[in-house]
């Protein structure tokens, strides 16, 4: 069985971006990954700057080039030599799938009940939407079941089609209930295909080949929700992988630097430095002198933020999971930025 990576996180932490970067990071050296979206937001298509994803698996990118590969993913070898026989590492492929619960239910009805056109007729009558709305447990079985099927799928030669499947999952507050589908359908079906499907899904989700990764920021609420999410997942017996600290910023100053800036006599030195940089005269009341107080206020706010982030980082470390850090990209996350984050993940070791 290939490996399943489930990525969750509080809203606003960038979990979809991290899921996409992880799928890219895993798609190296000829590996194939599948990036799965289950919330219907088309966030993956936006990140990869492609058209909206249909309900089918589609190649959307090649993985970052590793050492020995060309930057565009094509193997590099000496002229006249086969790159596959020359030890060259090939870039992998990222495929994507936006799972639609209604379409998944039609597939399910065809697979187990051979309804065919009758199933499509039910869709036209609105019965499919009705069923997935009144039975959210069924909806989750369909969404997770499609991803788990991709994890288990093999080609005609008996090899797994994908080396890894990455799921952009619901937020942390709902992740345990979403994944613990066996309990969710217990009151819906005690026996039969739905019950069997739920059990098959849980065998994948609770296997050592599955890991749930939680994305957070160094802020109080996301850190607390991460800690709560880890505790709930562990209680449900669902394997937890690591914590990804997203949008980290460098510490330019700490309280020691601030003390040095505000020490007696330091103000004069700061004014002279500003004046030498061409920012006005250093005399009392001059432009350079007037810049000092606003700069010191910004420095004070920065130092306070650094101290708070260190405290939140300590809280995350206490959870006892591997942690990974991804920097804040001030210009936003475009396709180039996504590849940059993928390389940063790979540098920090296996995830």
């Amino acid at each position: 069985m290939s490996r399943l990576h489930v990525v969750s996180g509080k809203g606003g932490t960038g979990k979809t971006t991290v899921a996409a970067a992880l799928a890219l990071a895993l798609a190296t050296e000829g590996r194939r990954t599948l990036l799965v979206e289950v919330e219907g937001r088309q966030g993956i298509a936006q990140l990869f700057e492609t058209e909206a994803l249909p309900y089918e698996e589609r190649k959307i990118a090649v993985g970052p080039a590793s050492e020995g590969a060309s930057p565009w993913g094509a193997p590099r070898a000496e002229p006249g030599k086969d790159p596959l026989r020359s030890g060259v590492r090939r870039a992998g492929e990222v495929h994507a799938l936006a799972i639609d619960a209604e379409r998944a239910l039609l597939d399910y009805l065809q697979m187990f009940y051979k309804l065919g056109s009758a199933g499509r007729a039910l869709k036209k009558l609105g019965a499919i939407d009705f069923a997935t709305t009144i039975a959210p447990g069924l909806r989750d079985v369909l969404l997770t079941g499609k991803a788990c099927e991709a994890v288990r799928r093999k080609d005609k030669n008996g090899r797994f089609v994908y080396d890894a499947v990455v799921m952009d999952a619901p937020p942390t507050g709902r992740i345990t209930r979403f994944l613990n589908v066996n309990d969710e359908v217990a009151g819906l079906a005690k026996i039969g295909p739905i019950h069997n499907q739920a059990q098959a899904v849980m065998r994948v989700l609770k296997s050592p080949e599955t890991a749930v990764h939680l994305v957070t920021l160094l802020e109080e609420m996301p850190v607390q929700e991460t800690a709560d999410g880890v505790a709930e997942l562990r209680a449900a017996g669902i394997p937890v992988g690591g914590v990804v600290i997203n949008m980290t910023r460098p510490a330019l100053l700490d309280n020691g630097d601030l003390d040095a800036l505000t020490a007696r006599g330091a103000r004069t030195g700061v004014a002279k430095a500003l004046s030498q940089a061409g920012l006005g005269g250093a005399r009392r009341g001059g432009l350079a002198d007037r810049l000092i107080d606003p700069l010191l206020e910004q420095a004070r706010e920065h130092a306070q933020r650094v101290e708070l982030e260190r405290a939140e980082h300590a809280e995350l470390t206490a959870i006892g999971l591997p942690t990974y850090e991804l920097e804040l990209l001030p210009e936003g996350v475009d396709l180039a930025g996504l590849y940059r984050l993928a390389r940063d993940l790979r540098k920090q070791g296996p995830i």
Side-chain angles (χ1 to χ4, degrees), residues 102-346:
E102 291 186 17
R103 292 286 300 275
L105 181 53
L106 287 174
D107 287 350
Y108 178 86
L109 292 173
Q110 172 61 22
M111 182 183 303
F112 290 104
Y113 298 104
K114 310 299 182 186
L115 287 186
S117 59
R120 290 189 291 275
L122 288 174
K123 176 178 173 61
K124 291 181 180 179
L125 292 172
I128 301 297
D129 182 60
F130 178 73
T132 56
T133 300
I134 66 169
L138 172 60
R139 186 183 188 91
D140 292 347
V141 169
L142 295 168
L143 294 173
T144 55
K146 190 69 176 178
C148 290
E149 181 276 326
V151 170
R152 299 190 302 261
R153 192 190 313 156
K154 294 182 179 180
D155 61 20
K156 62 183 180 181
N157 296 316
R159 294 189 297 260
F160 288 108
V161 173
Y162 295 106
D163 297 283
V165 175
V166 179
M167 180 194 294
D168 177 21
T172 317
R174 295 197 294 118
I175 188 60
T176 302
R177 183 175 180 181
F178 174 76
L179 295 176
N180 204 19
V181 294
N182 203 32
D183 287 348
E184 287 298 302
V185 301
L188 183 66
K190 301 292 185 182
I191 59 174
I194 294 177
H195 175 78
N196 295 339
Q197 173 77 351
Q199 288 194 322
V201 168
M202 290 312 300
R203 282 195 292 272
V204 173
L205 294 178
K206 291 191 175 185
S207 76
E209 297 305 312
T210 292
V212 181
H213 310 294
L214 300 180
V215 183
T216 187
L217 305 178
L218 290 176
E219 298 174 4
E220 183 178 0
M221 290 186 64
V223 168
Q224 184 59 55
E225 192 163 310
T226 298
D228 293 343
V230 169
E232 291 176 3
L233 288 164
R234 285 171 169 169
I238 299 173
V240 187
V243 174
V244 180
I245 305 171
N246 197 22
M247 303 186 216
T248 61
R249 293 172 287 183
L252 304 176
L253 298 172
D254 58 22
N255 284 334
D257 296 321
L258 184 62
D259 291 340
L261 283 173
T262 56
R264 184 175 182 180
R267 184 184 183 91
T268 300
V270 173
K272 288 181 178 179
L274 292 173
S275 178
Q276 290 170 359
L279 296 175
R283 65 185 183 280
R284 189 73 175 176
L287 177 58
D289 183 72
R290 295 198 304 272
L291 288 173
I292 293 176
D293 287 334
L295 286 173
L296 288 178
E297 180 60 28
Q298 289 186 19
R300 188 175 294 107
E301 291 175 357
H302 176 80
Q304 290 173 349
R305 177 181 65 80
V306 169
E307 289 302 310
L308 288 173
E309 289 184 350
R310 285 175 178 169
E312 299 301 336
H313 199 289
E315 292 287 336
L316 292 172
T317 302
I319 296 176
L321 292 172
T323 59
Y324 309 84
E325 297 188 18
L326 293 176
E327 63 180 317
L328 172 69
L329 301 180
E331 67 278 9
V333 182
D334 56 9
L335 191 54
L338 203 56
Y339 275 85
R340 179 174 170 181
L341 295 177
R343 291 189 180 94
D344 286 348
L345 277 177
R346 283 191 59 81

